[in-house]
Amino acid sequence: MSFCKFSSELVANNKTEIDNIFIDNFLPNAPDLCVKVYLYGLYLATNDLEFDNTFEAFAKKLGISELDLETAFRYWEEQGLVQVLSTYPIQVLYKPLKDVINGTRLYKPEKYEKFNTQAQELFHGTREITKTEYGEYYNFLEKSGMEQEALLMIINYCLQSKKKAVGYSYILTVARNWVKEGILTAKQVEEKLYEAEQASTSLSAILKVLGIKRSASIDERELYQKWKEGMGFEDDAILFVAESMKKKGGFEKLNYLLEKYFLNGKFSVAEIKHFIASQDEIYTLAKQVNRNLGVYYESLDSEIETYINPWLNMGFEPKALEDMASYAFKSSIRSLDGLNNLVQKLYKLGILTKSALDEYLENIVNIDNQIKKLLEDLGISRRVNSFDRESYKTWKNSWGLNDEIIEYAASLSKDKLSPIQYMARLLASWHEQNITSLDEAKRLSPKPATVQTPKTEIKGRSYTKQDFQAMVQSIDEIEL
């Protein structure tokens, strides 16, 4: 007779399937030998094999003693995955894992006997711990690996902190959160509780300012730890923000405000005071930026948080931002994302003030005026375009030719069929010969036939934007 078989709820088939519940909940903490025994027994039961499906053949197949085999199955019986129906001969029934999740998992009574007694004593007769609640505690301890004494300390902490009826789901939520922090032993719980005790005085002051007449809850203690350790706020800053709320909103509102100051890099009382005082100015700035950019937003909070505050934190003057919005509008940039792209590029150039922006724009306009003069010298009457600016930048910055040489080249190219192309080739030839002065250029000036010109004229590109567009185009090549 087979000693491993399925219960009537399961249907045997010709393949062995491993439930994800087993992999996630039981495999990680199970001894290697027990995992091997469970899987091979599952194989025998799944395929309903009579051949070699005996206790002795099973042990021989795995190369283990019959005592080790029985010990392994007793382990899985404790976990609730199998049931040992008889001992002589031994017979094992594999159970559906859904039953284990639904609370039929078994444990040796002596394993949790002390835990049961001490846990019940913590409630001081206020209520009885149910069988289901005990089962949830056992499952948590088995899965998490937390010490029993550590969980008992957490239960007591929850009962003392809440001062009212506490359900096991709340206790286990706290315990799971602490497990995520790596707290598994009684010593680690003790250290965390000591930190909480040290914070009690500060928490009491915060509660008083908020008008809350009770002790801090566990959730509020967790928030306080986040503000102190996770964000870096000192007690005086937290109290100042709490006082600014005028007892409205409680811990939820306090947390919202501290997160806002954290995102804006405001940590000290002085920084937060200045930030609060500047809010009206910031709203006025946001409205003016929108007006200059030609956009409208009913709510400015999101815009201020996403764009205005970050720009100000980068060091931009408000007036500079207003002017940038105007320049963007005149260059057909009509969105905050587009303006942000322009702002980021100007930041890379170190242009943060109105005076620096004006100087930069003036320089761009001067360059355009210089290019326009060259075009006039060449006999071309049109607006400056991006092709002209790129060519001029190459002659000046890449080839190192000064304005005198460039203007002289223009005078030699004026009457040519394609003057711009002739001028470019002439300047290129001087660059190749390392010409750096006007005298050298004049000495090596080509005779009428030395620079060949094409038979067809190349027309310049159309230009449709004004000086502000020139400024925007001049920084488009800057990589963020």
Side-chain angles (χ1 to χ4, degrees), residues 150 153-154 178 183 185-194:
M153 294 171 70
I154 292 175
W178 288 17
I183 298 173
T185 67
K187 183 178 179 181
Q188 290 171 323
V189 172
E190 186 177 3
E191 291 173 353
K192 187 169 180 66
L193 293 177
Y194 176 76

Side-chain angles (χ1 to χ4, degrees), residues 109-253:
E110 60 270 20
K111 184 173 184 179
Y112 290 101
E113 184 176 358
K114 183 178 179 181
F115 173 85
N116 294 347
T117 301
Q118 293 180 341
Q120 184 60 68
E121 289 176 351
L122 293 175
F123 285 87
H124 300 290
T126 56
R127 70 173 178 85
E128 293 292 325
I129 300 178
T130 66
K131 182 179 179 181
T132 299
E133 183 174 351
Y134 276 127
E136 292 294 334
Y137 291 146
Y138 303 158
N139 291 340
F140 167 77
L141 290 168
E142 294 289 333
K143 186 174 181 180
S144 68
M146 177 177 278
E147 293 179 356
Q148 293 183 26
E149 182 64 25
L151 180 55
L152 288 168
M153 294 171 70
I154 292 175
I155 294 173
N156 184 58
Y157 171 65
C158 293
L159 293 173
Q160 295 297 320
S161 298
K162 265 211 160 185
K163 299 293 184 182
K164 60 180 181 179
V166 179
Y168 68 84
S169 59
Y170 180 84
I171 293 171
L172 289 176
T173 297
V174 174
R176 291 187 184 101
N177 289 336
W178 288 17
V179 167
K180 291 178 183 178
E181 298 178 27
I183 298 173
L184 297 173
T185 67
K187 183 178 179 181
Q188 290 171 323
V189 172
E190 186 177 3
E191 291 173 353
K192 187 169 180 66
L193 293 177
Y194 176 76
E195 293 177 2
E197 184 179 350
Q198 294 296 105
S200 294
T201 302
S202 298
L203 271 170
S204 296
I206 293 171
L207 288 166
K208 183 177 180 180
V209 169
L210 294 176
I212 300 174
K213 298 179 180 180
R214 57 169 172 76
S215 300
S217 68
I218 292 177
D219 294 337
E220 291 165 349
R221 292 175 186 271
E222 296 288 344
L223 279 176
Y224 176 75
Q225 292 299 324
K226 181 184 80 169
W227 301 334
K228 290 277 290 184
E229 298 174 11
M231 295 181 173
F233 287 102
E234 295 299 331
D235 287 335
D236 61 339
I238 298 173
L239 282 170
F240 173 77
V241 176
E243 289 168 351
S244 72
M245 294 165 48
K246 303 186 186 304
K247 299 183 179 181
K248 294 181 180 179
F251 267 76
E252 184 176 351
K253 177 69 176 298

